[in-house]
Amino acid sequence: MAHGQHGGKSGPLGAGRRRGRGRWYAVAPALAATVVAACVPAAYAAAPPAPAAAAAPAQGAGDGLDRYHRQRLAWGSCVKGPDDTAGRDLDRAGVSCADVTVPLDYADPRGRTITVAVSRLKATDTRRRIGAVLLNNGGPGGTAVESPPHIRKAMKQVGTRYDIVGFDPRFVGRSTPLDCGWPVGTAWFSAGSGRAGFDRQVALQKDLADKCRAAGASVLAHISTRNTARDMDVIRGALGERKISYLGYSYGTYLGTVYTQMFPGRYDRVVLDGAVAPGDYKARLMQGAEPENERALSDWAAWAAGRHDAHGLGRTRAEVLATVEGIVAASARGPLTVGAAPEVFRLDDTQVPLILFMGIADDTDKARTALAEQVSALAKAAQGRPAPLSPDFAQLLRYALTGEQAATGGVQAAIICGDVGAPRDPEVYWRDIERSRAAHPLFGPLTNNINPCAFWDRPREELTRVRRDAAVLIVAATGDPRTTYRSSAGLHELLPSSKLITVENANRHGLYGEYGNGCVDGEVNAYLATGKLPKEDRTCSTASPSSSSSSSSSSD
């Protein structure tokens, strides 16, 4: 899920911004998460919430991890080389960087080690310092080392009271790397319009899994959300914090939930933006979100119809949607050619739906304009006309369809497939695709498609069960097409002490500090400042970004 142009595009749940946001928006595939419904149900049955445990000791508590928790971090420049402009930007912003040493295998803490890259923007109001807040931008596979300056700005005055700490999860970004050598930047494609397209997908996905196994055989078994949560606790200990606060977006909300369950008593204030209920985290992560994506596309079509003179896509919602259908149908007859030498791309019906999917998780005018420009280019290509590319569209296609950012897609698949088992038989996927196609002809073949997890080794650990209550703040938009509002509400129900901030009528993934909604930002910052959750769930309007929140009946 990603939105925005801050770089680090990732997958299913977000495509990453340059500052490292890795969420299922703009560059969905690698972001979009995949989850097979059949793989998880029992593991996520909610047990009766247990009371929060007393604060745990800051060290490894005799589990062999003491040396990791007590390590001294060598804070210094964030610049990694002469071409590291992001590192120079961090240095100029006053951010320091370090590497945290963690065990590859927590069952063997004396064995092989890896490093996790962290960054820190220290509190300036030291007299009223609250603590440290750890950031995760989702993906999975998104980076956050570049995020502290942006989050400091979003936090306004309360930001001066926190050490704001970004980290790149194991094998992501600046941490010990994994590059599977993929020819594409994501694994999340559509099955296309017929069996031939699906069979090509089966071959592609098996090849992607095989490449990861060849490149990372010694580490794949240790890439998982539970191990990332363990790394977070080592970071907490190495920072000298008894408890740590946390801000997670998209997949990062799942990671945050896992941390609360694995390390009760070691967290302080937790904000989960665009939340994933554990039962919705699966190998085909977007399965079941077809209605939300169709509504988001329809709302975009209505917006584009009002701007027909600029984009030429149709004067009514129905006409714009017909244009989209015509593009997909043309891509099924033969690949569409967009761009001009030396940069030309050919998109078939397994790829065009992905482009549409990536463009509809942000309902701001800027994002909708970008999608309109992309669809306009595809419409020209469908008519056999020259279809020039905007720089942003060219960048998106390079990400998705070439190996330019292949490491991102590979590690995203490694995390998801390392967490959740998936059906092995391709026919299971084909039957799901065909069942979904009747009601959801555009997005059903994408959300139900096969992916590398079908060819991955089984996860080493069971999924994390939600057994403990956690007083966290959840932020969600009713029209979020990546982590659906239903999922956020589901997590809210699993955590009775949580509170839910709802933004109504927004087709948007990622709100706090991103959407310009003063109501959301104000509620989150008040919680970060005081540690007190709102007394009731709140509803924020999209009518005015600075509108104040209003109480609403709780969704508990």
Side-chain angles (χ1 to χ4, degrees):
M1 312 168 183
H3 58 279
Q5 297 302 322
H6 272 71
K9 295 169 178 139
S10 26
L13 288 182
R17 307 202 160 196
R18 260 195 306 154
R19 70 172 162 276
R21 181 61 46 81
R23 302 202 288 278
W24 246 133
Y25 313 20
V27 186
L31 311 215
T34 359
V35 190
V36 183
C39 357
V40 242
Y44 283 108
Q59 305 303 334
D63 54 8
L65 299 176
D66 294 27
R67 69 187 180 102
Y68 296 102
H69 286 263
R70 291 173 177 156
Q71 66 186 290
R72 290 193 157 199
L73 301 184
W75 295 102
S77 171
C78 296
V79 177
K80 292 290 188 180
D83 299 326
D84 188 3
T85 57
R88 285 195 291 274
D89 288 344
L90 288 171
D91 282 0
R92 281 193 289 268
V95 176
S96 298
C97 291
D99 288 328
V100 178
T101 300
V102 299
L104 171 67
D105 182 357
Y106 276 87
D108 182 19
R110 296 186 181 279
R112 178 178 170 185
T113 63
I114 57 174
T115 59
V116 173
V118 296
S119 62
R120 180 176 66 180
L121 187 56
K122 295 192 72 173
T124 55
D125 188 350
T126 55
R127 185 176 62 84
R128 298 191 301 157
R129 181 182 179 275
I130 294 170
V133 58
L134 194 60
L135 313 176
N136 183 275
N137 287 322
T143 68
V145 160
E146 298 171 27
S147 297
H150 171 76
I151 296 301
R152 170 64 58 85
K153 182 178 178 181
M155 292 173 72
K156 299 187 169 67
Q157 194 57 37
V158 71
T160 64
R161 301 174 61 193
Y162 280 90
D163 288 355
I164 303 174
V165 181
F167 80 107
D168 290 355
R170 51 176 50 206
F171 301 102
V172 170
R174 295 169 183 248
S175 298
T176 297
L178 170 68
D179 188 344
C180 293
W182 283 7
V184 290
T186 180
W188 318 110
F189 296 104
S190 172
S193 59
R195 182 71 197 213
F198 174 71
D199 288 343
R200 290 196 302 273
Q201 282 294 303
V202 172
L204 170 65
Q205 302 299 337
K206 183 179 185 304
D207 180 61
L208 297 180
D210 288 345
K211 281 180 163 55
C212 279
R213 191 172 292 108
S218 64
V219 301
L220 288 184
H222 307 292
I223 303 177
S224 68
T225 297
R226 287 179 65 85
N227 278 334
T228 298
R230 294 179 177 111
D231 294 344
M232 287 169 53
D233 202 55
V234 170
I235 293 170
R236 176 198 58 76
L239 291 172
E241 301 289 341
R242 189 168 181 81
K243 294 184 178 184
I244 198 160
S245 295
Y246 179 79
L247 168 62
Y249 294 86
S250 193
Y251 159 82
T253 67
Y254 173 69
L255 172 62
T257 299
V258 170
Y259 187 82
T260 67
Q261 302 304 301
M262 291 180 67
F263 299 99
R266 297 189 189 182
Y267 59 89
D268 185 11
R269 299 158 205 198
V270 175
V271 179
L272 306 178
D273 189 323
V276 182
D280 293 329
Y281 182 68
K282 46 202 174 184
R284 289 180 285 183
L285 191 55
M286 298 312 301
Q287 193 180 46
E290 298 87 1
E292 286 81 1
N293 281 277
E294 288 166 351
R295 282 197 294 272
L297 180 65
S298 179
D299 288 349
W300 168 81
W303 177 94
R307 293 155 181 82
H308 174 75
D309 290 345
H311 304 294
L313 300 175
R315 297 189 180 279
T316 66
R317 183 196 310 254
E319 288 180 0
V320 174
L321 291 174
T323 298
V324 169
E325 291 173 6
I327 291 169
V328 176
S331 71
R333 293 190 294 270
L336 309 182
T337 301
V338 295
E343 193 162 46
V344 177
F345 298 92
R346 291 168 61 79
L347 289 80
D348 64 20
D349 56 341
T350 69
Q351 298 158 339
V352 168
L354 172 63
I355 302 305
L356 299 167
F357 176 83
M358 291 191 294
I360 56 176
D362 185 345
D363 62 4
T364 61
D365 281 349
K366 181 178 180 180
R368 283 178 161 175
T369 297
L371 179 58
E373 291 171 350
Q374 294 164 16
V375 173
S376 180
L378 292 171
K380 291 183 176 72
Q383 298 166 0
R385 297 163 54 197
L389 298 177
S390 68
D392 284 348
F393 194 17
Q395 181 185 26
L396 184 152
L397 293 175
R398 283 195 299 273
Y399 157 73
L401 305 182
T402 75
E404 183 176 276
Q405 295 190 42
T408 300
V411 76
Q412 180 176 69
I415 295 168
I416 296 172
C417 304
D419 284 340
V420 190
R424 320 296 273 183
D425 183 358
E427 296 307 314
V428 171
Y429 299 88
W430 178 245
R431 288 193 294 269
D432 288 346
I433 289 163
E434 289 295 274
R435 274 194 295 265
S436 179
R437 193 190 301 277
H440 310 291
L442 177 58
F443 292 121
L446 188 153
T447 59
N448 290 276
N449 195 23
I450 196 167
N451 62 64
C453 300
F455 307 99
W456 219 263
D457 293 341
R458 292 294 185 186
R460 280 200 169 187
E461 294 189 78
E462 295 292 325
L463 287 163
T464 303
R465 296 174 184 267
V466 175
R467 297 184 180 277
R468 300 177 182 275
D469 193 6
V472 306
L473 184 62
I474 301 170
V475 181
T478 57
D480 187 339
R482 295 298 170 268
T483 53
T484 66
Y485 186 74
R486 288 178 286 112
S487 202
S488 290
L491 180 61
H492 180 37
E493 291 180 5
L494 284 175
L495 303 175
S497 295
S498 65
K499 289 295 181 285
L500 176 63
I501 307 297
T502 298
V503 178
E504 292 186 315
N505 303 316
N507 302 130
R508 171 71 186 203
H509 185 60
L511 296 166
Y512 172 67
E514 299 287 334
Y515 199 40
N517 188 292
C519 168
V520 168
D521 292 353
E523 291 286 355
V524 172
N525 286 338
Y527 168 58
L528 292 173
T530 65
K532 296 179 180 178
L533 289 167
K535 291 183 179 180
E536 300 179 76
D537 292 343
R538 302 277 180 169
T539 297
C540 293
S541 170
T542 56
S544 169
S546 60
S547 59
S548 59
S549 60
S550 59
S551 298
S552 70
S553 55
S554 169
S555 62
D556 297 271

